């Protein structure tokens, strides 16, 4: 099977029953690099990016779409470098992410700066770097972008991020297009700006941007949003926008809830994009990264608490905050195949917070100290949201590629944790 069509299943059991990333056993990676450890599959990152590309070629032919990987999902330089080599564009939301793309050799001409609050310094950095477009989220920011462009003697290419004010039907923390959301411009404010372009002489209005939320399962949400923004399209110079950024948000499968397959998504929104005729921009993060990574952790201790079985591991909420922050559910598996009775357990980390858990009521073959666990679907918003809370050094990141493994980031030391602090 070609990588184009069969990208997933980066973590599978081999004939001996050991969980492996591609063909490398997780046990061997944990022994070599220690735990907690983020493990990524290069073939999965590439394969999923290529599958999206193939779907774009099929459904958006002739529109020259840009797939702009959302850097926040997994921003390691080694990952960005490999996606850049595939011809990927990038969605960045800070000066830091922009500098990461530049450092990784990404094409800044295919990079979009978004974000709800950009500083003047970030706007100037993006203008200087010559990014493809800057997505503006308020009238004040538009004025500041105009001033920054004047200072730098360039014309800024701006898209207006608009809030279609719908119900994106996802976790409240992942919803970005509800009526009271902090993101984007209200439709009336966007209309006001587009109707008076002379107020922003150093800005070219190139397009519109929508990002409805994350973990979205229903393509109808985009149809609803397109309907809401339709009246704005004719206000662009020449009667239509040059670009239409549909954001990211396509869901991966979790438990019995299926993914939003990009082929299905594009089958639905492709005709709408075709009708507008603008160059589409897609900003997927999670769909590419999440199934491409796992967090490996070792069991430290097991104990009982009020009838529950508690499994204390060496990874914690500082390594993977999603369960604590969103109640997110990640599959957790024992790396080795062992013959033990299944047991429902809570997998918790060593951080001093009751919210520090990685999985609740997970059925595993009776975990024992020393066992290696793999927390799956952790490639997106895993390491990129990691912190040093409790003065815990951040984990190492390793990439499995072409039968070998490459260290992308060494494990932090205590010196890393206190770097920059003054006594
Ligand atoms: N574009 C924009 C403007 C965004 O704000 C985001 C994500 C994306 C694209 C990518 O969305 P994705 O395809 O990954 O769903 N930390 C949360 C997710 C926050 C998403 C923030 N914005 C989590 O762990 O679930």
């Amino acid at each position: 099977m070609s990588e184009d069509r069969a990208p997933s299943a980066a973590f599978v059991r081999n004939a001996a029953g050991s969980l492996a990333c591609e063909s490398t056993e997780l046990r061997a990676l944990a022994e070599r690099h220690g735990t907690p450890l983020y493990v990524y599959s290069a073939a999965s990152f590439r394969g999923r990016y290529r599958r999206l590309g193939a779907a774009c070629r099929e459904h958006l032919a002739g529109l020259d779409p840009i797939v702009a990987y959302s850097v926040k999902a997994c921003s390691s330089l080694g990952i960005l470098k490999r996606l850049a080599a595939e011809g990927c564009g990038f969605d960045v939301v800070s000066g830091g992410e922009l500098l990461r793309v530049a450092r990784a050799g990404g094409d800044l001409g295919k990079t979009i700066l978004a974000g709800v609050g950009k500083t003047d310094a970030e706007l100037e950095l993006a203008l200087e770097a010559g990014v493809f477009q800057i997505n503006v989220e308020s009238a004040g920011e538009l004025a500041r972008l105009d001033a920054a462009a004047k200072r730098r003697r360039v014309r800024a290419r701006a898209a207006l991020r608009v809030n279609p004010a719908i119900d994106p039907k996802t976790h409240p923390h992942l919803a970005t297009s509800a009526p009271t959301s902090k993101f984007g411009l209200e439709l009336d404010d966007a209309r006001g700006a587009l109707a008076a372009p002379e107020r922003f002489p150093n800005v070219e209005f190139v397009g519109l941007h929508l990002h409805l939320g994350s973990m979205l399962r229903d393509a109808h949400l985009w149809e609803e949003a397109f309907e809401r923004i339709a009246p704005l399209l004719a206000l662009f110079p020449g009667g239509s926008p040059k670009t239409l950024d549909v954001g990211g948000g396509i869901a991966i499968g979790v438990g019995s809830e299926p993914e939003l397959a990009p082929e299905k998504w594009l089958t639905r929104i492709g005709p709408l994009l075709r009708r507008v005729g603008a160059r589409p921009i897609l900003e997927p993060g999670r769909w590419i990264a999440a199934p491409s990574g796992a967090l490996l952790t070792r069991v430290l201790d097991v104990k009982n608490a009020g009838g529950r079985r508690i499994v204390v591991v060496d990874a914690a909420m500082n390594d993977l905050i999603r369960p604590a922050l969103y109640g997110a559910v990640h599959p957790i598996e024992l790396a080795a195949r062992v013959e033990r009775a299944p047991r429902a357990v809570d997998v918790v980390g060593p951080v001093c917070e009751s919210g520090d858990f990685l999985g609740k009521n997970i059925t595993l073959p009776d975990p024992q100290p020393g066992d290696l666990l793999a927390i799956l679907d952790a490639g997106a918003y895993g390491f990129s949201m990691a912190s040093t809370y409790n003065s815990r050094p951040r984990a190492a990141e390793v990439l499995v590629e072409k039968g070998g493994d490459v260290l992308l980031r060494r494990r932090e030391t205590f010196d890393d944790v206190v770097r920059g602090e003054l006594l």
Side-chain angles (χ1 to χ4, degrees):
M1 279 189 282
S2 83
E3 265 192 4
D4 273 356
R5 284 290 160 197
S8 204
F11 296 86
V12 286
R13 289 202 184 268
N14 62 19
S18 300
L19 203 53
C21 177
E22 300 179 22
S23 56
T24 304
E25 288 194 3
L26 300 185
R27 181 186 47 81
L29 293 170
E31 274 162 21
R32 198 145 51 239
H33 302 283
T35 53
L37 177 71
Y38 273 96
V39 177
Y40 306 115
S41 155
S44 177
F45 266 100
R46 288 199 184 95
R48 296 181 76 83
Y49 171 73
R50 287 179 191 179
R51 180 173 147 198
L52 252 174
C56 284
R57 280 192 294 284
E58 188 176 340
H59 297 285
L60 305 175
L63 295 178
D64 197 17
I66 297 178
V67 176
Y69 168 70
S70 196
V71 168
K72 63 178 85 64
C74 180
S75 46
S76 304
L77 292 173
I79 297 295
L80 302 183
K81 177 176 129 185
R82 283 158 179 87
L83 288 173
E86 293 283 312
C88 192
F90 296 96
D91 150 47
V92 299
V93 290
S94 68
E97 287 191 350
L98 178 62
L99 293 171
R100 276 186 177 273
V101 171
R103 179 75 64 92
D107 183 352
L108 295 172
K110 274 200 207 169
T111 295
I112 291 106
L113 175 66
V116 76
K118 308 173 195 75
T119 64
D120 287 350
E122 288 173 318
L123 292 172
E124 292 203 25
L125 178 68
L127 290 171
E128 201 171 325
V131 298
F132 180 75
Q133 73 178 34
I134 298 175
N135 295 348
V136 173
E137 300 216 13
S138 69
E141 190 191 11
L142 199 48
R144 289 194 297 112
L145 177 62
D146 185 63
K150 186 171 183 199
R151 282 196 298 278
R152 302 224 67 92
R153 298 174 204 282
V154 292
R155 192 127 194 267
R157 288 179 298 276
L160 297 183
R161 175 169 180 179
V162 289
N163 181 2
I166 59 172
D167 173 7
K169 298 191 180 74
T170 185
H171 187 286
H173 289 188
L174 307 187
T176 52
S177 55
T180 57
S181 162
K182 70 172 179 175
F183 296 98
L185 285 145
E186 288 196 316
L187 296 179
D188 275 350
D189 291 340
R191 190 177 296 117
L194 289 169
E198 67 284 353
R199 280 168 44 212
F200 312 102
N202 306 289
V203 171
E204 180 195 357
F205 290 110
V206 293
L208 289 177
H209 174 215
L210 291 169
H211 172 72
L212 306 178
S214 203
M215 279 302 274
L216 309 181
R217 290 212 154 75
D218 189 352
H220 178 66
L221 295 171
W222 280 268
E223 293 169 345
E224 202 181 334
F226 278 20
E227 223 166 84
R228 302 292 308 269
I229 66 166
L232 298 178
L233 299 174
L235 300 177
F236 278 84
S240 62
K242 290 182 180 165
T243 66
L244 185 50
D245 186 337
V246 300
I250 42 179
I252 57 159
V254 176
S256 59
E257 301 265 341
E259 69 167 5
L260 172 53
E263 296 81 5
K264 186 171 151 195
W265 180 52
L266 290 173
T267 303
R268 292 281 289 278
I269 69 168
L272 304 176
L273 287 166
R274 203 167 282 290
R275 212 167 302 146
V276 177
R279 187 172 188 188
I281 300 169
L282 289 57
E283 301 176 341
R286 185 193 319 271
W287 189 86
I288 292 177
S292 305
L295 172 61
L296 305 192
T297 182
R298 223 173 259 290
V299 176
L300 296 173
D301 293 295
V302 293
K303 60 184 179 180
N304 300 319
R308 300 188 75 86
R309 186 69 167 170
I310 307 290
V311 175
V312 186
V313 298
D314 65 1
M317 66 191 289
N318 73 296
D319 300 299
L320 179 65
I321 201 172
R322 303 194 67 257
L325 198 52
Y326 317 113
V329 174
H330 287 260
I332 302 182
E333 294 189 27
L334 228 62
R337 179 186 285 158
V338 292
E339 298 299 324
R340 295 186 206 139
R343 186 160 195 177
V345 302
D346 292 348
V347 178
V348 308
V351 158
C352 303
E353 300 237 6
S354 292
D356 178 28
F357 64 93
L358 297 162
K360 286 209 168 143
N361 208 15
I362 311 267
T363 302
L364 289 170
D366 196 15
Q368 301 297 321
D371 280 351
L372 183 66
L373 300 183
I375 303 172
L376 302 176
D377 290 342
Y381 309 108
F383 189 89
S384 65
M385 293 181 81
S387 74
T388 57
Y389 184 41
N390 276 205
S391 289
R392 289 168 53 87
R394 286 182 297 174
E397 294 175 284
V398 71
L399 181 74
V400 172
E401 186 171 41
K402 299 187 179 105
D405 55 279
V406 189
L407 189 63
L408 295 186
R409 189 183 223 277
R410 62 166 174 75
R411 182 174 308 287
E412 285 184 348
T413 61
F414 171 72
D415 282 338
D416 293 323
V417 173
V418 295
R419 177 153 305 132
E421 291 188 35
L422 308 172
L423 271 177

